[in-house]
Amino acid sequence: MQRLRVQKQNALRPIVAATGPILRSKLAKEAAKAAKVATKSTTAALSMSPTKNMKYDEIMVLSAKETRKRQKKLFKDHGVQLYKNFFLPAAQVPLWVCMSLTFRNLSGWSTWDSLANKPLDPTLYNEGALWFTDLTSLDPLHAFPIAIGIVALLNVEWTFKTFQMMKPPGRKRAFRPTIFDSLGNLSRMGVVFLMAISLHAPTALTLYWLSSQIFSLIQNVLLDLVFPLNYTPYKRVDFKQSKSPTAKSVIS
């Protein structure tokens, strides 16, 4: 349902995007017409017309407000309101937190003192495998925390690359980070924070985090390939574009 809703929203966005230029053009024509009439008329009502002194910034603000209003109505008519997109994260995030707390309590990670902690399930002492036989202790090789960071970073980059490919082509302004860029940097910082926490977490908890990240990555990849959010002519990795025109093949 979430995927289909977002697909429908993206299908309606071109209609909303075409509304902005039309509204701005209409407001600009009305402002020019009001200014022209005011110069020929001596009445105070025309000279004090609000559209006569309308500036560029005011036209942009009014058109943006009207565009958002029409987008809200259009999405409501099709039953794909934007607030419904928060239903799934509102259920997933608390579930992930509750499961993490459950594994933390089962493995006995109640304090930072590993010697004083006692797991609720004593069988976790010997239910591991290979080098992590004790699931209540830390990973001695730190393999799982590193794997969590790599998989989580791949998941973040894949997701933001998907949304970046959906954006219309245009020249990005230098030194002007957008909200999209800020969210991407915040997500990358979250990956570093998760890695730092997993270095001190018991193996049982890190295994849950790793399996959760792997499942999320596989799910996102499959959904983007089978049910893409929107049509895009771009590729995730374009080797022809990344190749330098003066590059020479080293393979004869």
Side-chain angles (χ1 to χ4, degrees):
M1 294 296 293
Q2 177 86 353
R3 198 77 177 184
L4 297 177
R5 186 187 307 112
V6 177
Q7 284 181 335
K8 187 64 176 180
Q9 291 174 356
N10 291 330
L12 296 174
R13 288 188 190 278
I15 302 176
V16 179
T19 306
I22 297 175
L23 292 175
R24 289 192 292 270
S25 176
K26 185 177 180 180
L27 289 173
K29 289 181 179 179
E30 291 181 358
K33 182 179 179 181
K36 184 177 180 180
V37 173
T39 55
K40 297 180 180 180
S41 177
T42 57
T43 59
L46 288 176
S47 62
M48 296 300 294
S49 176
T51 57
K52 171 181 175 294
N53 299 322
M54 188 176 296
K55 299 180 181 179
Y56 173 78
D57 295 338
E58 296 175 348
I59 293 176
M60 295 296 293
V61 171
L62 290 176
S63 63
K65 289 182 178 180
E66 184 64 23
T67 301
R68 287 194 297 267
K69 181 179 178 181
R70 297 192 180 189
Q71 174 182 292
K72 185 177 180 180
K73 184 179 183 303
L74 182 64
F75 284 3
K76 183 178 180 181
D77 293 340
H78 290 80
V80 290
Q81 295 89 330
L82 289 176
Y83 70 86
K84 293 182 179 180
N85 295 344
F86 296 96
F87 288 166
L88 185 60
Q92 286 181 333
V93 173
L95 179 62
W96 184 83
V97 173
C98 291
M99 291 298 297
S100 298
L101 293 176
T102 301
F103 278 98
R104 188 196 70 169
N105 294 331
L106 286 175
S107 57
W109 193 41
S110 56
T111 63
W112 292 101
D113 187 4
S114 59
L115 297 178
N117 295 333
K118 293 183 179 180
L120 296 179
D121 187 3
T123 59
L124 294 177
Y125 282 122
N126 52 11
E127 285 191 349
L130 301 177
W131 72 91
F132 53 97
T133 55
D134 187 3
L135 297 179
T136 63
S137 61
L138 311 180
D139 182 7
L141 301 180
H142 301 303
F144 293 136
I146 295 175
I148 289 174
I150 294 174
V151 177
L153 185 60
L154 288 175
N155 199 3
V156 169
E157 295 298 333
W158 179 277
T159 302
F160 280 92
K161 183 63 176 180
T162 300
F163 286 102
Q164 185 179 3
M165 292 169 60
M166 292 167 49
K167 296 172 63 177
R171 187 177 180 181
K172 183 179 178 181
R173 296 181 180 179
F175 307 107
R176 292 289 298 273
T178 61
I179 298 179
F180 181 82
D181 299 330
S182 301
L183 290 176
N185 295 331
L186 185 63
S187 300
R188 296 180 184 98
M189 292 176 60
V191 172
V192 176
F193 179 76
L194 182 61
M195 283 186 62
I197 294 296
S198 61
L199 288 173
H200 303 278
T203 306
L205 183 57
T206 56
L207 282 174
Y208 167 69
W209 286 345
L210 180 59
S211 61
S212 176
Q213 291 295 331
I214 293 176
F215 176 81
S216 178
L217 178 60
I218 295 175
Q219 174 184 260
N220 291 334
V221 172
L222 291 179
L223 287 177
D224 288 337
L225 295 178
V226 180
F227 300 104
L229 293 177
N230 196 7
Y231 168 76
T232 175
Y234 306 107
K235 298 180 180 179
R236 293 185 179 272
V237 180
D238 193 349
F239 295 101
K240 294 183 179 180
Q241 186 177 1
S242 60
K243 182 180 178 181
S244 175
T246 59
K248 297 181 180 180
S249 178
V250 296
I251 302 177
S252 57

